[in-house]
Amino acid sequence: MAKQEVDQTNTKIDSNVSDSTHEEGVCETTCPVQSAAIILDGKWTTLIIRELLSGKKRYSELQRALPGISPKMLAKRLLFLEERGILRKTIYPVIPPKTEYELTELGYAMRQLIAAMATFGKLVQA
């Protein structure tokens, strides 16, 4: 990404942040950045969302796609995201039980955020 593109992106971000309820040095509970940070908290959350951007996944598919995540942590993060309306869990009444996870409309709204993180990650890796 060229420096001019980065500067233009930063200008857009700066104007969006300054339009929010954020005051210099104070992050109120109504701050949209704080609201997003609460959802994105944790090492695994954005990686789980990244995996679900391509469509429905079963628990075992997510676990295979995220080396190093414990079953307990995966279950905890999936429940957290479900409770906040980011993903939907569907349990099928079959034997053996089949459970699928998929992003909701709100979850898919994070597509641009994940793409921006990937772009930033490439800059950091360079």
Side-chain angles (χ1 to χ4, degrees):
M1 179 179 278
K3 182 174 179 358
Q4 183 179 7
E5 291 177 55
V6 171
D7 289 343
Q8 289 173 347
T9 302
N10 287 341
T11 301
K12 289 177 188 174
I13 291 170
D14 290 344
S15 69
N16 288 339
V17 171
S18 64
D19 290 344
S20 72
T21 58
H22 181 272
E23 294 179 28
E24 192 66 35
V26 178
C27 193
E28 298 178 16
T29 57
T30 58
C31 174
V33 174
Q34 182 180 13
S35 297
I38 290 168
I39 298 295
L40 298 172
D41 184 40
K43 174 180 178 180
W44 298 104
T45 304
T46 53
L47 298 175
I48 291 168
I49 293 167
R50 179 199 66 193
E51 290 303 316
L52 291 172
L53 282 171
S54 62
K56 293 178 184 179
K57 297 267 190 317
R58 295 179 71 173
Y59 181 91
S60 59
E61 293 173 302
L62 289 169
Q63 194 164 30
R64 277 193 303 273
L66 302 167
I69 192 169
S70 70
K72 181 179 177 180
M73 179 55 71
L74 179 56
K76 182 179 175 181
R77 297 316 295 171
L78 289 169
L79 178 60
F80 174 84
L81 292 168
E82 181 184 13
E83 290 172 345
R84 278 142 189 89
I86 304 297
L87 63 79
R88 178 179 313 108
K89 175 182 176 179
T90 305
I91 302 171
Y92 296 94
V94 295
I95 307 264
K98 177 181 173 183
T99 304
E100 290 182 331
Y101 297 89
E102 65 183 315
L103 294 176
T104 62
E105 189 175 326
L106 183 59
Y108 277 110
M110 297 174 126
R111 182 182 303 274
Q112 289 180 314
L113 175 66
I114 300 298
M117 290 177 73
T119 300
F120 179 73
K122 289 176 185 174
L123 291 172
V124 171
Q125 291 174 342

